[in-house]
Every structure is written in C-alpha cells, then in structure tokens.
Amino acid sequence: MPMTAKPAYQRILLKLSGEALMGSGEFGISPEVMSGLAHEIKAVIDSGVQVALVVGGGNIFRGEGLARAGMDRVTGDHMGMLATVINALALQDAIERVGLPVRVQSALRINQVCEDYIRRRAVRHLEKGRVVIFSAGTGNPFFTTDSAAALRAVEINADLLLKATKVDGIYTADPKKHPDAVKYQELTYDEALSKRLGVMDQTAMVLCRDHGIKLCVYDMDRAGALQAIINGDDTIGTRVYA
Ligand code: UDP
C-alpha cells in the first residue's frame, strides 16, 4: 500500500510491552529500539493519525515474579507500575528527539515527573497532535498493562488497539514451540477466550469485547508494518473483533 494512502484510522492506541523495548538484550532499554519506534511513530503522526501509547514494565519488574521470590505482591505490583513510568520517560525522550510533542501521564500520582492521568487532558493532547504515553498501568495492583491498554483504548475512544509483539500475529499454538501452528488472519474475542490463546490477559480481552474495540496483533520488528496497518492493510498480523 502506498505511503500516501489515506489512513484507515483516526486515533490508535499502541501497546508496547517492556520486553519490546529491550531489543536483543536481557534487561533494560535498547536505545536503538527506542529510536526506531520513535521514527515509526513520527511517520504515523505525520500521516494525520492521533497516537497514544501504553507501555509495560516487564523488562524491569513484574509483581508476579517478585511475589514468587517472596515479596509482598502489592509492593511488587507497585514496583512493576513504577517500572512502566521509567520506560515511558525513556520513550518520551526518544520521541521528543525526533521532533514530536509528547506527554507522559501516570495512573499513580508522581506529578513532579509527569502528568497525572486525566482523560480529558489526554484527549486534548491527542487532538493537538501530541503523542500521549499512558504509564503506571491502571494504577491498581493485580492488573496488567494489557488491561490498562484495553481500558485506555475504551476511554479515549481509539479506533484500533495495536499490540506490538515478537510474533507476526496470533497462532493456534506458540509457533516457537509448535512449528506446525497456524496463524489466524482474524478471530473473535470469544474464540480467543475459549481457546485460551495467549493474546492478552482475559480481563483485557473481555473489556475489548464488551466495548467493541478492534485489536491488531503484529510483529514490531517487521519494517513498515505499523504504517501499513494504519493505511488499512488487513493482511499484516491478526485482527480480533468483538
Ligand atoms: N502492574 C500493575 N497494575 C497495572 C499494570 C501493571 O500492578 O494496572 C504491574 C504488574 O506487577 C506488572 C508490572 O506492573 O507485572 C509490569 O506490567 P506488565 O507485566 O503488564 O508489563 P509488560 O508485560 O507489558 O512488559
């Protein structure tokens, strides 16, 4: 699809896991990955689409893992949520460096570092062409940033929720473990839920299903994929519908 095509969506929410920011590393944040993402986001913004991001924290801390090691779960989840803020600040910096206006909002109040999450303010930023990065998940322990992405997508009325992964869509089984796994071009949330496909956690999928959010799972390492999807190319990744 040519780059000049009219975008198929006006407002998107892109979910980036913490692991997506690591690149080939085992921990932390890859400056190359950040810069690559920032350039891709710039191209999307330049085509007139409003872009919100939800960032995970699994490259730094996950409450579940910390609890398994003996820590109080709620404390671990607070650490996980703060980890997402660290990622969001790094992403904000990378996006600013490609010349885009960008704001980080946090679901936990740390307003000397970034804005508090205020829905109406977030929507205003988007309308003005600013990238908005939602951090600290939902602000509550026992949730994930997938659920935060679903929640924010509903709240800001996103036309499309994108989940950037290391796989080019949703498969009948994990393609890394099962080479005969088959990729879905599209499926419904009910199918994904009943087959327990590891797309997003169940809370996130139920929220998307009940509020009619369209989801696209795609391979973030495929060059040009994001722009092509936004231009309406439905052959890339997997679409999940209500
Ligand atoms: N978290 C939380 N509530 C939320 C979102 C996240 O407590 O609403 C915590 C939780 O401990 C989680 C961690 O933050 O493990 C990092 O988020 P997530 O695991 O979703 O990150 P990702 O897998 O996307 O990198």
Side-chain angles (χ1 to χ4, degrees):
M1 186 147 303
M3 297 292 280
T4 50
K6 192 174 177 292
Y9 306 97
Q10 267 80 58
R11 179 177 293 165
I12 61 155
L13 190 145
L14 173 60
K15 160 73 206 291
L16 297 164
S17 70
E19 275 166 3
L21 308 178
M22 289 192 311
S24 52
E26 303 250 302
F27 184 82
I29 299 166
S30 154
E32 292 77 31
V33 170
M34 288 291 193
S35 163
L37 278 167
H39 281 97
E40 280 198 65
I41 290 164
K42 180 162 171 44
V44 175
I45 289 271
D46 287 347
S47 68
V49 178
Q50 299 175 13
V51 180
L53 305 171
V54 166
V55 65
N59 55 323
I60 305 174
F61 287 123
R62 277 207 181 91
E64 209 181 352
L66 293 171
R68 250 185 279 119
M71 185 182 270
D72 169 64
R73 172 67 193 259
V74 175
T75 304
D77 280 341
H78 285 155
M79 290 172 69
M81 284 188 269
L82 291 173
T84 74
V85 181
I86 293 174
N87 285 333
L89 293 177
L91 204 49
Q92 173 177 245
D93 181 78
I95 293 170
E96 240 161 25
R97 279 197 265 165
V98 298
L100 287 179
V102 49
R103 300 286 188 276
V104 174
Q105 293 201 342
S106 169
L108 293 173
R109 276 191 299 278
I110 38 171
N111 48 31
Q112 285 173 305
V113 174
C114 60
E115 293 181 3
D116 294 336
Y117 170 64
I118 298 173
R119 178 182 153 267
R120 296 179 75 96
R121 182 182 279 187
V123 168
R124 187 79 187 116
H125 287 323
L126 293 169
E127 286 168 352
K128 288 193 162 184
R130 297 173 187 144
V131 178
V132 179
I133 308 175
F134 295 119
S135 67
T138 63
N140 303 292
F142 304 106
F143 285 88
T144 65
T145 51
D146 277 356
S147 290
L151 176 63
R152 297 293 181 244
V154 176
E155 285 185 279
I156 66 166
N157 238 326
D159 307 317
L160 181 68
L161 169 60
L162 291 124
K163 182 165 167 162
T165 66
K166 298 274 174 202
V167 192
D168 65 341
I170 302 166
Y171 282 75
T172 48
D174 182 350
K176 287 192 181 122
K177 292 182 198 146
H178 304 272
D180 55 342
V182 179
K183 187 184 135 187
Y184 290 100
Q185 201 58 49
E186 57 176 55
L187 75 164
T188 64
Y189 287 109
D190 281 335
E191 282 176 89
L193 285 161
S194 67
K195 294 189 171 118
R196 295 195 160 267
L197 299 172
V199 188
M200 294 200 296
D201 62 79
Q202 307 245 326
T203 311
M205 284 202 281
V206 168
L207 205 54
C208 287
R209 181 195 65 190
D210 292 353
H211 297 278
I213 294 285
K214 178 176 169 184
L215 170 71
C216 172
V217 179
Y218 78 103
D219 178 5
M220 64 176 288
D221 293 329
R222 180 167 163 183
L226 181 62
Q227 186 70 58
I229 292 164
I230 282 154
N231 286 346
D233 186 341
D234 277 343
T235 62
I236 299 175
T238 299
R239 301 290 174 288
V240 193
Y241 298 96

